[in-house]
Amino acid sequence: MFPEDGADADALLRNAEASLKRAKETGESYLFYAPHINARVSEEVELEHRLRKAVERSELFLHYQPKLDLVTRRIVGLEALMRWKAPDGALVPPVTFIPVLEQTGLILEAGRQAIATATGVYRRWQAQGLEPPRIAVNVSQLQLRRKTFVEDVRAALRAEGADGGGVDLEITESLLMHDVDESIRKLAALRDLGLRISLDDFGTGFSSLAYLSRLPLDTLRSTAVRAGDDGEPARHQHRRHHHLARPGAAPQGGGRGRRDRAAGAATAAAALRPGAGFLFSRPVPAEEIEALLKK
């Protein structure tokens, strides 16, 4: 309202747009302007600007969270998690910047970089004579729905001079419901590149067993009890996974997000052997994983 919310037409329009943006974010049908709204919008614009520069300069990087066999305590898999440092060197919480990547479409390039990085790390470890476990990389909705997604992945692998062996792509059930036939085509093409496909959050959508039988999947991860907040988006909190029966492979199960020894012991007793979570290890740089693999 003039003059409280702006001394001229430009100021009024600018503040009205800030209020509109904030109302859309909060889901409110209307919102009166307040000075703090502009401050919040300015912070978001600054975050987006810094993140855009970070993607352009390939400044995002990966940390790896081990999945351990709860009986042998050996590393049987890794989950690649995207990380970003603020100007002061502190890690920016993923829940702060991952949504911005998705909202702005920057996740397309950031996701391609993540696949290339994970592939390169796996290949480097192999070249050193190590026996690296498979590395799982999350795929976003925007990536999977992009018409050129398979070509994007192929280009990322080609940049590292490797095929997809050693890398798993994790996709949520809800993503596949958008266009089932197209999803099947893309997933089959990705598996032809040597990648394995893991369906995350199984059971949260409306999939039937008949629907599942059509999908070229290697692993199912079903949602279990939420085990606290570790700074990752909610779907990374706690999972059980089951390898689908393939020739020469025995079904297995596992859990994620375990934080206390009682939960770990109970799960081990239930023979859900692969587990991941802060009880075993925080996500760590590739160098620390490499040191573990050399022991």
Side-chain angles (χ1 to χ4, degrees), residues 6 8 18 23 34 36 106 118 127 131-132 136 139 146-147 152 156 160 172 197 201 226 228 233-234 239:
D8 54 42
H36 74 271
L106 292 171
E131 297 182 1
V139 172
R146 184 177 170 90
K147 290 183 178 180
D152 293 342
E160 295 298 326
T172 59
I197 308 299
D201 283 351
R226 184 181 178 115
R239 302 286 187 273

mmCIF file of all heavy atoms in Angstrom, residues 6 8 18 23 34 36 106 118 127 131-132 136 139 146-147 152 156 160 172 197 201 226 228 233-234 239:
data_model
loop_
_atom_site.group_PDB
_atom_site.id
_atom_site.type_symbol
_atom_site.label_atom_id
_atom_site.label_comp_id
_atom_site.label_asym_id
_atom_site.label_seq_id
_atom_site.Cartn_x
_atom_site.Cartn_y
_atom_site.Cartn_z
ATOM 1 N N GLY A 6 6.080 1.414 -0.328
ATOM 2 C CA GLY A 6 6.865 1.908 -1.462
ATOM 3 C C GLY A 6 6.554 3.343 -1.758
ATOM 4 O O GLY A 6 5.376 3.729 -1.771
ATOM 5 N N ASP A 8 7.252 4.885 -4.607
ATOM 6 C CA ASP A 8 6.921 5.120 -6.015
ATOM 7 C C ASP A 8 6.431 3.824 -6.640
ATOM 8 O O ASP A 8 6.419 2.765 -5.995
ATOM 9 C CB ASP A 8 8.121 5.675 -6.779
ATOM 10 C CG ASP A 8 9.368 4.806 -6.623
ATOM 11 O OD1 ASP A 8 9.240 3.563 -6.675
ATOM 12 O OD2 ASP A 8 10.465 5.370 -6.433
ATOM 13 N N ALA A 18 7.913 -9.512 -4.708
ATOM 14 C CA ALA A 18 8.560 -10.256 -3.635
ATOM 15 C C ALA A 18 7.532 -10.977 -2.776
ATOM 16 O O ALA A 18 7.709 -12.130 -2.382
ATOM 17 C CB ALA A 18 9.402 -9.310 -2.777
ATOM 18 N N ALA A 23 4.552 -15.894 -1.243
ATOM 19 C CA ALA A 23 3.253 -16.547 -1.074
ATOM 20 C C ALA A 23 3.216 -17.876 -1.817
ATOM 21 O O ALA A 23 2.691 -18.874 -1.317
ATOM 22 C CB ALA A 23 2.135 -15.627 -1.569
ATOM 23 N N ALA A 34 6.077 -7.268 3.842
ATOM 24 C CA ALA A 34 6.808 -6.856 5.035
ATOM 25 C C ALA A 34 8.280 -6.752 4.647
ATOM 26 O O ALA A 34 8.748 -7.508 3.783
ATOM 27 C CB ALA A 34 6.623 -7.858 6.173
ATOM 28 N N HIS A 36 10.987 -7.820 5.821
ATOM 29 C CA HIS A 36 11.819 -9.023 5.907
ATOM 30 C C HIS A 36 11.670 -9.919 4.675
ATOM 31 O O HIS A 36 12.530 -10.753 4.398
ATOM 32 C CB HIS A 36 11.478 -9.815 7.172
ATOM 33 C CG HIS A 36 10.168 -10.543 7.092
ATOM 34 N ND1 HIS A 36 8.975 -9.967 7.480
ATOM 35 C CD2 HIS A 36 9.864 -11.793 6.645
ATOM 36 C CE1 HIS A 36 7.995 -10.843 7.300
ATOM 37 N NE2 HIS A 36 8.502 -11.946 6.799
ATOM 38 N N LEU A 106 19.544 -26.401 -12.605
ATOM 39 C CA LEU A 106 20.990 -26.614 -12.523
ATOM 40 C C LEU A 106 21.332 -28.064 -12.204
ATOM 41 O O LEU A 106 22.465 -28.502 -12.416
ATOM 42 C CB LEU A 106 21.598 -25.698 -11.447
ATOM 43 C CG LEU A 106 21.590 -24.202 -11.745
ATOM 44 C CD1 LEU A 106 22.005 -23.404 -10.511
ATOM 45 C CD2 LEU A 106 22.514 -23.887 -12.912
ATOM 46 N N ALA A 118 31.714 -39.951 -10.106
ATOM 47 C CA ALA A 118 31.634 -41.280 -9.495
ATOM 48 C C ALA A 118 32.272 -42.335 -10.398
ATOM 49 O O ALA A 118 32.998 -43.227 -9.932
ATOM 50 C CB ALA A 118 30.179 -41.637 -9.205
ATOM 51 N N ALA A 127 42.198 -49.007 -11.338
ATOM 52 C CA ALA A 127 43.529 -48.885 -11.921
ATOM 53 C C ALA A 127 44.624 -49.061 -10.874
ATOM 54 O O ALA A 127 45.750 -49.451 -11.206
ATOM 55 C CB ALA A 127 43.677 -47.530 -12.613
ATOM 56 N N GLU A 131 39.710 -53.231 -5.134
ATOM 57 C CA GLU A 131 38.431 -53.840 -5.483
ATOM 58 C C GLU A 131 37.320 -52.947 -4.952
ATOM 59 O O GLU A 131 36.741 -53.212 -3.893
ATOM 60 C CB GLU A 131 38.330 -55.250 -4.897
ATOM 61 C CG GLU A 131 39.371 -56.208 -5.449
ATOM 62 C CD GLU A 131 39.207 -57.609 -4.882
ATOM 63 O OE1 GLU A 131 38.264 -57.822 -4.084
ATOM 64 O OE2 GLU A 131 40.013 -58.486 -5.232
ATOM 65 N N PRO A 132 36.999 -51.865 -5.666
ATOM 66 C CA PRO A 132 36.013 -50.905 -5.159
ATOM 67 C C PRO A 132 34.600 -51.462 -5.194
ATOM 68 O O PRO A 132 34.248 -52.222 -6.109
ATOM 69 C CB PRO A 132 36.159 -49.722 -6.114
ATOM 70 C CG PRO A 132 36.651 -50.332 -7.387
ATOM 71 C CD PRO A 132 37.541 -51.467 -6.972
ATOM 72 N N ALA A 136 26.522 -45.711 -5.821
ATOM 73 C CA ALA A 136 25.160 -45.315 -6.178
ATOM 74 C C ALA A 136 25.064 -43.796 -6.284
ATOM 75 O O ALA A 136 25.548 -43.072 -5.413
ATOM 76 C CB ALA A 136 24.170 -45.826 -5.136
ATOM 77 N N VAL A 139 19.353 -39.838 -9.009
ATOM 78 C CA VAL A 139 18.883 -39.176 -10.230
ATOM 79 C C VAL A 139 17.624 -38.383 -9.888
ATOM 80 O O VAL A 139 16.717 -38.887 -9.227
ATOM 81 C CB VAL A 139 18.573 -40.209 -11.330
ATOM 82 C CG1 VAL A 139 17.907 -39.547 -12.525
ATOM 83 C CG2 VAL A 139 19.860 -40.912 -11.757
ATOM 84 N N ARG A 146 14.192 -35.596 -18.862
ATOM 85 C CA ARG A 146 14.854 -34.926 -19.979
ATOM 86 C C ARG A 146 14.993 -35.906 -21.153
ATOM 87 O O ARG A 146 15.451 -37.035 -20.988
ATOM 88 C CB ARG A 146 16.227 -34.430 -19.532
ATOM 89 C CG ARG A 146 16.999 -33.628 -20.556
ATOM 90 C CD ARG A 146 18.303 -33.158 -19.928
ATOM 91 N NE ARG A 146 19.226 -32.577 -20.865
ATOM 92 C CZ ARG A 146 19.274 -31.292 -21.170
ATOM 93 N NH1 ARG A 146 18.403 -30.454 -20.614
ATOM 94 N NH2 ARG A 146 20.165 -30.819 -22.015
ATOM 95 N N LYS A 147 14.606 -35.487 -22.328
ATOM 96 C CA LYS A 147 14.624 -36.368 -23.492
ATOM 97 C C LYS A 147 16.012 -36.898 -23.790
ATOM 98 O O LYS A 147 16.173 -38.023 -24.282
ATOM 99 C CB LYS A 147 14.062 -35.627 -24.718
ATOM 100 C CG LYS A 147 12.566 -35.355 -24.646
ATOM 101 C CD LYS A 147 12.068 -34.697 -25.917
ATOM 102 C CE LYS A 147 10.558 -34.475 -25.867
ATOM 103 N NZ LYS A 147 10.046 -33.825 -27.110
ATOM 104 N N ASP A 152 22.996 -37.802 -22.206
ATOM 105 C CA ASP A 152 23.744 -37.050 -21.198
ATOM 106 C C ASP A 152 24.620 -37.989 -20.369
ATOM 107 O O ASP A 152 25.790 -37.691 -20.088
ATOM 108 C CB ASP A 152 22.781 -36.297 -20.269
ATOM 109 C CG ASP A 152 22.020 -35.193 -20.984
ATOM 110 O OD1 ASP A 152 22.458 -34.783 -22.070
ATOM 111 O OD2 ASP A 152 20.991 -34.753 -20.433
ATOM 112 N N ALA A 156 28.713 -38.335 -20.150
ATOM 113 C CA ALA A 156 29.437 -38.277 -18.881
ATOM 114 C C ALA A 156 30.395 -39.454 -18.745
ATOM 115 O O ALA A 156 31.528 -39.295 -18.287
ATOM 116 C CB ALA A 156 28.445 -38.264 -17.713
ATOM 117 N N GLU A 160 34.965 -39.779 -19.072
ATOM 118 C CA GLU A 160 35.877 -40.483 -18.179
ATOM 119 C C GLU A 160 36.525 -41.684 -18.852
ATOM 120 O O GLU A 160 37.275 -42.424 -18.220
ATOM 121 C CB GLU A 160 35.131 -40.941 -16.919
ATOM 122 C CG GLU A 160 34.623 -39.796 -16.062
ATOM 123 C CD GLU A 160 35.745 -38.931 -15.527
ATOM 124 O OE1 GLU A 160 36.841 -39.479 -15.244
ATOM 125 O OE2 GLU A 160 35.544 -37.714 -15.391
ATOM 126 N N THR A 172 13.591 -42.635 -7.828
ATOM 127 C CA THR A 172 12.433 -42.831 -6.961
ATOM 128 C C THR A 172 11.243 -43.365 -7.760
ATOM 129 O O THR A 172 11.106 -43.104 -8.965
ATOM 130 C CB THR A 172 12.006 -41.524 -6.269
ATOM 131 O OG1 THR A 172 11.686 -40.546 -7.254
ATOM 132 C CG2 THR A 172 13.113 -40.998 -5.379
ATOM 133 N N ILE A 197 20.288 -50.222 -12.111
ATOM 134 C CA ILE A 197 19.200 -49.317 -11.753
ATOM 135 C C ILE A 197 18.592 -49.740 -10.425
ATOM 136 O O ILE A 197 18.201 -50.900 -10.243
ATOM 137 C CB ILE A 197 18.104 -49.292 -12.840
ATOM 138 C CG1 ILE A 197 18.719 -49.029 -14.216
ATOM 139 C CG2 ILE A 197 17.057 -48.241 -12.499
ATOM 140 C CD1 ILE A 197 19.431 -47.717 -14.353
ATOM 141 N N ASP A 201 12.536 -45.634 -2.580
ATOM 142 C CA ASP A 201 11.222 -45.276 -2.024
ATOM 143 C C ASP A 201 10.107 -46.175 -2.535
ATOM 144 O O ASP A 201 8.954 -45.743 -2.656
ATOM 145 C CB ASP A 201 10.864 -43.820 -2.351
ATOM 146 C CG ASP A 201 11.608 -42.848 -1.465
ATOM 147 O OD1 ASP A 201 12.249 -43.307 -0.503
ATOM 148 O OD2 ASP A 201 11.565 -41.636 -1.728
ATOM 149 N N ARG A 226 12.012 -43.625 9.740
ATOM 150 C CA ARG A 226 12.898 -42.476 9.640
ATOM 151 C C ARG A 226 13.812 -42.463 10.851
ATOM 152 O O ARG A 226 13.371 -42.592 11.979
ATOM 153 C CB ARG A 226 12.084 -41.185 9.578
ATOM 154 C CG ARG A 226 12.961 -39.947 9.368
ATOM 155 C CD ARG A 226 12.087 -38.696 9.350
ATOM 156 N NE ARG A 226 12.911 -37.511 9.208
ATOM 157 C CZ ARG A 226 12.897 -36.701 8.176
ATOM 158 N NH1 ARG A 226 12.104 -36.973 7.162
ATOM 159 N NH2 ARG A 226 13.642 -35.637 8.130
ATOM 160 N N GLY A 228 16.108 -39.980 11.843
ATOM 161 C CA GLY A 228 16.702 -38.707 12.238
ATOM 162 C C GLY A 228 17.163 -37.911 11.045
ATOM 163 O O GLY A 228 17.124 -38.348 9.918
ATOM 164 N N PRO A 233 18.211 -34.619 2.114
ATOM 165 C CA PRO A 233 16.777 -34.626 1.874
ATOM 166 C C PRO A 233 16.132 -35.846 2.506
ATOM 167 O O PRO A 233 16.761 -36.888 2.655
ATOM 168 C CB PRO A 233 16.698 -34.668 0.335
ATOM 169 C CG PRO A 233 17.959 -33.990 -0.108
ATOM 170 C CD PRO A 233 18.998 -34.416 0.912
ATOM 171 N N ALA A 234 14.862 -35.744 2.859
ATOM 172 C CA ALA A 234 14.201 -36.762 3.682
ATOM 173 C C ALA A 234 14.278 -38.155 3.104
ATOM 174 O O ALA A 234 14.355 -39.133 3.829
ATOM 175 C CB ALA A 234 12.738 -36.375 3.876
ATOM 176 N N ARG A 239 16.334 -46.750 4.670
ATOM 177 C CA ARG A 239 15.786 -47.614 3.624
ATOM 178 C C ARG A 239 16.140 -49.069 3.892
ATOM 179 O O ARG A 239 17.111 -49.380 4.560
ATOM 180 C CB ARG A 239 16.375 -47.248 2.255
ATOM 181 C CG ARG A 239 16.149 -45.804 1.845
ATOM 182 C CD ARG A 239 14.694 -45.570 1.437
ATOM 183 N NE ARG A 239 14.545 -44.242 0.901
ATOM 184 C CZ ARG A 239 14.299 -43.179 1.624
ATOM 185 N NH1 ARG A 239 14.176 -43.287 2.926
ATOM 186 N NH2 ARG A 239 14.179 -41.995 1.058
#
